[in-house]
Amino acid sequence: MALADGTVFLGTGAGAVGTHVGELCFNTAITGYQEILTDPSYASQLVLFTFPHIGNVGTNAEDHEESSVPAATAARGAIFREPITAPSSWRSTNHFDAWLKARGIIGLSGVDTRAITRLIRERGMPKAAICHAPEGGIDTDALVEQARAWEGLDDADLAADVDVDAAFDNSEQLWAAATGYGTLETPRFHVVLVDFGVKKNILRNLASIGARTTVVNGDTSASTIAALKPDGVVLANGPGDPAATDQRSGEMIRALIASGIPILGICLGHQLLALAFGAKTMKMAQGHHGANHPVKDLATGKVEIVSMNHGFTVDPATLPEGVNESHRSLFDGTNSGLSVAGKPIISVQHHPEASPGPQDSFYLFARFADLMDAHRG
């Protein structure tokens, strides 16, 4: 793996053969690597895991988080300390190395992941190129040049590459050990979710509060959404620079806000809501990537441990009057949520669907259901 500043790390290749470029970030989760690597929010990124043993529970067909986009649109690379071991889980159906290869993800082990994590903390998330060549002969100078030449994530509307082409409905509910995924039989609500790279467990959480969800892409007009007669709208997570996606979807979001319909924003959807209200977003040095982030709900005072995956953040100093900070990161004080005075609108920067991660934030879906109930009443 070569960084744009010329730093090179040599290790043992795994997974797909070839070369990929992307932004290098680190993730502090100790479980859920399959969900992480299939999260469309990691499009054009190389994920370094701080937990040393990755792959030891294998993979399965149930834990993918992308909804209907090609596998190649999620993470491009995975970096870990120890070599992949044989799977040891009753749910495993495939070896992690074979899974990486099938999905086109390049793996790299045997590198000092602690040193690379410190590098990212000190210098920010670098542009990088990762290469797996079983026959050897890697030109590291050329790899450095590929990293330098890559355009990066600034001004990139990557959500346009990972959203659905055709609308579809979801009624699949959360997974349970005894029964697997449930099915919503009698919906209480109809929700339209605007897809910018949605994770499946968001859809399942919506089904578990009684919402049949119609998924549409970010190019859908507000009038088309209104014609579906939803009880509420969800703006989903996704990758890339929110300011770039706002250029494409901002007009639709502002029209939804004006309509008075209940809205829930998640991650990129949260940032797009802030932009629609006139606030600004900014690039973070190292981002938030992990399943152990403490966030405070400013309304209740409760601290929840959440999953996060974002490299941009809302600047709270730019929030207009009436748009209020509802959640805050206790790691660095960055904004983690919004509420809007007089409107049924809430949003969070973190991932309340918890795949992977703790389930402390499931209540946000119930809070959204309450908004839809009140709006209908």
Side-chain angles (χ1 to χ4, degrees):
M1 181 173 65
L3 310 186
D5 68 359
T7 306
V8 175
F9 299 92
L10 301 178
T12 302
V17 172
T19 302
H20 289 323
V21 292
E23 181 180 80
L24 177 63
C25 65
F26 65 83
N27 187 298
T28 56
I30 65 173
T31 61
Y33 54 81
Q34 184 176 342
E35 292 97 322
I36 291 165
L37 293 174
T38 56
D39 178 355
S41 296
Y42 278 110
S44 295
Q45 288 188 298
L46 312 177
V47 183
L48 179 139
F49 292 92
T50 60
F51 189 71
H53 299 284
I54 300 299
N56 50 2
V57 296
T59 61
N60 61 67
E62 294 184 318
D63 289 347
H64 294 177
E65 278 300 315
E66 80 274 357
S67 55
S68 61
V69 295
T73 58
R76 294 177 174 177
I79 301 96
F80 29 90
R81 179 68 185 90
E82 298 297 328
I84 300 171
T85 56
S88 179
S89 170
W90 65 275
R91 296 183 67 225
S92 176
T93 58
N94 199 10
H95 194 287
F96 183 51
D97 182 66
W99 183 85
L100 288 173
K101 189 175 299 182
R103 293 185 64 87
I105 300 173
I106 296 175
L108 177 67
S109 68
V111 294
D112 190 341
T113 52
R114 286 182 135 190
I116 302 172
T117 300
R118 288 176 63 93
L119 183 151
I120 296 171
R121 285 181 59 87
E122 293 165 3
R123 305 182 198 173
M125 295 177 286
K127 297 192 291 184
I130 187 171
C131 178
H132 178 200
E135 304 303 320
I138 298 174
D139 186 340
T140 55
D141 290 336
L143 212 57
V144 170
E145 289 304 316
Q146 284 182 271
R148 289 174 178 165
W150 182 58
E151 62 273 15
L153 297 186
D154 288 335
D155 303 318
D157 179 17
L158 298 182
D161 299 327
V162 299
D163 60 3
V164 296
D165 292 326
F168 69 93
D169 279 13
N170 176 77
S171 58
E172 186 177 77
Q173 295 176 309
L174 292 169
W175 188 88
T179 58
Y181 294 113
T183 300
L184 175 63
E185 300 291 348
T186 309
R188 290 176 56 211
F189 308 106
H190 176 216
V191 167
V192 169
L193 181 141
V194 183
D195 181 22
F196 299 106
V198 67
K199 296 174 70 176
K200 280 185 176 179
N201 227 44
I202 291 175
L203 301 177
R204 296 175 186 129
N205 268 279
L206 290 169
S208 292
I209 61 165
R212 174 179 66 86
T213 303
T214 300
V215 181
V216 300
N217 65 39
D219 293 315
T220 306
S221 68
S223 60
T224 300
I225 292 172
L228 295 171
K229 301 187 183 306
D231 298 300
V233 173
V234 175
L235 305 177
N237 63 290
D241 188 337
T245 305
D246 176 66
Q247 296 296 312
R248 178 168 57 94
S249 302
E251 181 180 349
M252 172 263 292
I253 295 171
R254 284 184 283 275
L256 291 174
I257 292 170
S259 75
I261 193 169
I263 300 174
L264 168 64
I266 296 174
C267 198
L268 178 61
H270 156 77
Q271 297 164 351
L272 291 172
L273 268 175
L275 290 168
F277 278 109
K280 296 186 182 301
T281 56
M282 52 190 179
K283 188 79 161 67
M284 303 175 75
Q286 64 191 39
H288 287 167
H289 308 278
N292 57 349
H293 286 247
V295 163
K296 186 174 183 178
D297 184 332
L298 300 182
T300 65
K302 179 181 177 181
V303 175
E304 53 204 89
I305 304 302
V306 305
S307 285
M308 283 195 171
N309 173 20
H310 61 105
F312 292 81
T313 187
V314 173
D315 182 357
T318 66
L319 293 174
E321 185 176 354
V323 180
N324 305 307
E325 189 174 31
S326 63
H327 296 72
R328 184 178 300 155
S329 167
L330 297 185
F331 271 162
D332 58 11
T334 53
N335 173 262
S336 292
L338 299 174
S339 62
V340 182
K343 287 187 178 291
I345 297 175
I346 56 175
S347 67
V348 288
Q349 179 63 78
H350 46 281
H351 282 253
E353 82 286 341
S355 267
Q359 300 177 0
D360 297 24
S361 300
F362 274 10
Y363 73 89
L364 286 161
F365 295 98
R367 189 176 289 181
F368 180 52
D370 291 341
L371 291 178
M372 290 190 287
D373 265 332
H375 184 69
R376 291 199 305 191

